Amino acid sequence: MKPEIHPTYYTDAKVTCASCGTTWTTGSTRKELRVDVCSNCHPFFSGEAARIMDIEGQVDRFYKKLQARQSHVEAQQAREASKSSPERGIDELGLSTRATEALKRAGVDTVGQLLTLLGQGDSSVLAIAGFGQSSLTSAKKKLRSLGYDIPETAAAS
């Protein structure tokens, strides 16, 4: 090394933090150093950063979104199940007023009861006064579109 071209190195340089006032010694080319933030008061080192980031409650927000999704899926499944429920009312099939009233007079109030009659054969449904072939055809189409399994029987003669 060339003499007198290097700065003086101090092994006991005093470092002072302006934020918290903490002092310590280190090696430096200056006798005294002043820093704005040290490892004692900086949020990254003191754990304040985690508290600052979690003010909104990121975990709570995640669970809230997860709960909303689960309730949406459960509601959707319940709607799908109710579409093909045998307890569904005859009114919801969208049949003509005359056909709906004829079924109600015969004591057929739910889709399950209508499916039971269809299982006995088309003639048992056609025996209901006021319920004709066109009503039977439209009822079967609507039941199939809603996902019901219509029992297959011999065609009415």
Side-chain angles (χ1 to χ4, degrees):
M1 288 191 348
K2 289 187 179 179
E4 299 196 21
I5 62 166
H6 299 288
T8 309
Y9 185 77
Y10 300 100
T11 56
D12 56 347
K14 180 180 171 187
V15 181
T16 306
C17 176
S19 297
C20 65
T22 305
T23 59
W24 67 94
T25 58
T26 188
S28 175
T29 57
R30 302 169 103 193
K31 276 196 175 232
E32 189 174 322
L33 297 170
R34 295 173 195 252
V35 293
D36 294 332
V37 181
C38 68
S39 62
N40 290 333
C41 60
H42 191 279
F44 180 76
F45 294 105
S46 65
E48 294 287 324
R51 209 171 22 194
I52 290 171
M53 279 180 26
D54 203 34
I55 286 175
E56 292 269 339
Q58 292 178 353
V59 173
D60 294 334
R61 283 189 293 151
F62 170 75
Y63 283 125
K64 188 187 291 183
K65 287 180 187 177
L66 184 65
Q67 179 63 32
R69 172 70 178 144
Q70 287 174 343
S71 63
H72 173 72
V73 167
E74 289 169 1
Q76 194 173 23
Q77 288 173 345
R79 270 182 283 169
E80 290 296 321
S82 71
K83 281 185 181 178
S84 61
S85 171
E87 269 56 31
R88 190 173 187 167
I90 286 294
D91 295 332
E92 298 176 32
L93 287 181
L95 300 175
S96 67
T97 307
R98 181 177 178 195
T100 304
E101 291 301 321
L103 287 171
K104 286 184 178 181
R105 279 193 305 271
V108 180
D109 294 323
T110 64
V111 172
Q113 293 170 336
L114 179 60
L115 290 172
T116 304
L117 275 178
L118 286 171
Q120 296 170 2
D122 291 352
S123 59
S124 63
V125 180
L126 291 173
I128 297 172
F131 198 84
Q133 184 64 43
S134 64
S135 299
L136 176 63
T137 306
S138 63
K140 283 184 173 184
K141 283 182 183 178
K142 187 63 176 177
L143 288 170
R144 282 190 191 103
S145 71
L146 291 173
Y148 290 100
D149 292 326
I150 298 173
E152 295 297 324
T153 58
S157 43

